[in-house]
C-alpha cells in the first residue's frame, strides 16, 4: 500500500493535518506506513471503507460496551466501523474525525440509516478534542489510537480522559502497545473464538489483499473464499479492549 503514494501528494493535507503528520515539512509515504495510511484516508477514502467494512469487530467487544448511556464520544471515527455499532448504546453520539473525506462517508451512512439526528460528526484531533470537560459517559477509539503523538500519545490520552465524566469509561478498541497503556492504568479484556475478514466476494478479497496484505495475497487467492482468517493475513483480530474507569 505504501507504494501507492509519493511525497508529491502531501499537499492534500490541511495546515493542521500537516503540522501533525508531517511536522518537519517533508516526508516519504513509501518509507512511513502511518503517513501512507493518512494519505489513503484522504485520497482514496472509498477504498479504505471497503477494507474497514470487511474487518468486523468481535461481537463480544460490542456487547462489552455500556448500553443506555447518555453521551458517547468516539475519536478517530473513520467511516463508522464502530460508530454504527454505538448508535443503539447511547442517546447521543459525537464522532470526531480529522479527515474530511472520511467524515463525508460517515455522514452519508448515518443519513442512509436514519440516524443522522442522533449522531453528530465533527472535525477534531486526538490532542485537541472540540468537546467540553466531563462531556461523555463513554469515550472510545477503535483502531485509531497509538502511543505516537500524531495519533494519540500522552496528549491524546489526556484529552480522552478530560472529555470523559467521572465514573465514565475510556476504551481503546483493537489496541496496540498494551504495555504502554497498562503503565497508564489501563486494564485489558479479550474475547475468544475464530475471526475472519469478511469481504463481499472472493474477487474483492484478492484485490484488497494485494493492496493491504501483499504477503498473504497468494494464499487468499488459493483459498477461493470471501472469508479470510485474520491469522492468514498476519493481523491480530479486533477482539480486545484496553480501558479505564475514571474515578469519581
Amino acid at each position: 500500500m505504501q507504494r501507492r503514494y509519493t511525497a508529491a501528494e502531501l499537499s492534500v493535507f490541511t495546515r493542521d493535518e500537516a503540522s501533525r503528520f508531517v511536522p518537519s515539512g517533508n516526508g516519504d509515504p513509501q518509507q512511513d506506513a502511518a503517513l501512507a495510511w493518512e494519505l489513503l484516508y484522504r485520497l482514496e477514502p472509498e477504498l479504505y471503507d471497503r477494507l474497514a467494512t470487511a474487518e468486523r469487530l468481535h461481537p463480544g467487544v460490542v456487547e462489552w460496551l455500556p448500553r443506555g448511556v447518555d453521551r458517547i464520544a468516539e475519536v478517530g471515527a473513520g467511516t463508522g466501523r464502530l460508530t454504527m455499532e454505538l448508535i443503539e448504546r447511547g442517546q447521543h453520539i459525537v464522532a470526531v474525525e480529522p479527515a474530511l473525506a472520511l467524515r463525508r462517508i460517515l455522514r452519508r451512512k448515518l443519513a442512509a440509516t436514519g440516524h443522522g439526528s442522533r449522531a453528530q460528526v465533527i472535525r477534531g484531533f486526538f490532542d485537541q478534542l472540540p468537546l467540553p470537560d466531563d462531556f461523555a459517559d463513554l469515550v472510545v477509539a477503535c483502531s485509531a489510537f497509538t502511543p505516537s503523538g500524531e495519533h494519540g500519545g500522552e496528549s491524546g490520552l489526556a484529552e480522552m480522559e478530560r472529555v470523559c465524566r467521572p465514573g465514565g469509561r475510556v476504551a481503546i478498541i483493537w489496541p496496540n502497545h498494551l504495555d504502554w497503556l497498562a503503565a497508564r492504568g489501563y486494564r485489558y479484556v479479550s474475547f475468544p473464538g475464530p475471526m475472519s475478514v469478511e469481504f463481499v466476494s472472493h474477487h474483492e478479497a484478492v484485490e484488497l489483499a494485494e493492496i493491504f496484505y501483499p504477503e498473504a495475497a497468494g494464499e487468499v487467492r488459493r483459498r477461493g473464499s470471501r472469508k479470510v482468517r485474520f491469522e492468514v493475513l498476519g493481523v491480530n483480530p479486533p477482539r480486545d479492549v484496553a480501558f479505564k474507569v475514571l474515578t469519581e
Side-chain angles (χ1 to χ4, degrees):
M1 197 270 287
Q2 288 175 241
R3 293 195 294 270
R4 295 180 76 84
Y5 313 115
T6 69
E9 289 159 309
L10 298 179
S11 61
V12 72
F13 291 129
T14 66
R15 182 178 299 178
D16 281 346
E17 291 169 345
S19 70
R20 289 168 171 84
F21 307 135
V22 231
S24 64
N26 56 58
D28 184 358
Q30 300 196 5
Q31 300 296 321
D32 184 341
L35 187 56
W37 280 94
E38 292 296 339
L39 289 172
L40 169 70
Y41 303 150
R42 292 157 178 84
L43 296 172
E44 298 181 280
E46 299 286 354
L47 175 62
Y48 166 72
D49 186 50
R50 289 164 61 197
L51 175 68
T53 300
E55 294 176 335
R56 300 178 184 178
L57 301 175
H58 192 295
V61 169
V62 178
E63 285 304 310
W64 176 89
L65 294 169
R67 183 185 292 274
V69 298
D70 183 19
R71 290 184 290 197
I72 298 175
E74 182 187 4
V75 188
T79 58
R81 183 203 330 251
L82 177 62
T83 317
M84 307 308 291
E85 303 282 4
L86 294 172
I87 291 296
E88 301 303 324
R89 311 194 83 80
Q91 296 301 312
H92 183 60
I93 317 296
V94 177
V96 182
E97 168 54 48
L100 174 59
L102 301 188
R103 293 199 303 272
R104 285 173 171 163
I105 292 176
L106 178 51
R107 288 188 181 116
R108 190 166 68 234
K109 287 183 180 181
L110 290 166
T113 54
H115 295 306
S117 62
R118 292 186 57 197
Q120 180 183 10
V121 183
I122 64 175
R123 176 180 177 273
F125 298 88
F126 271 108
D127 64 344
Q128 196 173 12
L129 297 177
L131 296 170
D133 295 355
D134 305 338
F135 172 79
D137 303 280
L138 171 67
V139 182
V140 61
C142 177
S143 187
F145 184 93
T146 77
S148 64
E150 65 269 28
H151 298 106
E154 297 284 3
S155 59
L157 205 60
E159 275 288 88
M160 291 179 73
E161 293 182 10
R162 176 188 66 78
V163 168
C164 187
R165 68 165 180 80
R169 191 182 307 182
V170 177
I172 311 295
I173 296 175
W174 210 357
N176 56 23
H177 301 282
L178 293 174
D179 290 345
W180 189 92
L181 289 165
R184 287 150 182 83
Y186 280 71
R187 291 182 280 167
Y188 175 73
V189 62
S190 183
F191 299 89
M195 292 188 67
S196 296
V197 182
E198 300 185 25
F199 300 100
V200 297
S201 66
H202 176 242
H203 174 80
E204 175 152 293
V206 173
E207 178 188 354
L208 295 185
E210 288 175 342
I211 296 171
F212 297 104
Y213 313 109
E215 295 182 357
E219 181 64 14
V220 172
R221 185 180 296 105
R222 185 188 69 79
R223 291 183 176 228
S225 173
R226 74 175 187 87
K227 296 184 179 181
V228 183
R229 292 281 294 271
F230 276 89
E231 291 81 358
V232 171
L233 301 174
V235 178
N236 292 325
R239 64 165 82 249
D240 46 2
V241 184
F243 71 98
K244 178 190 282 189
V245 178
L246 298 194
T247 56
E248 297 193 53

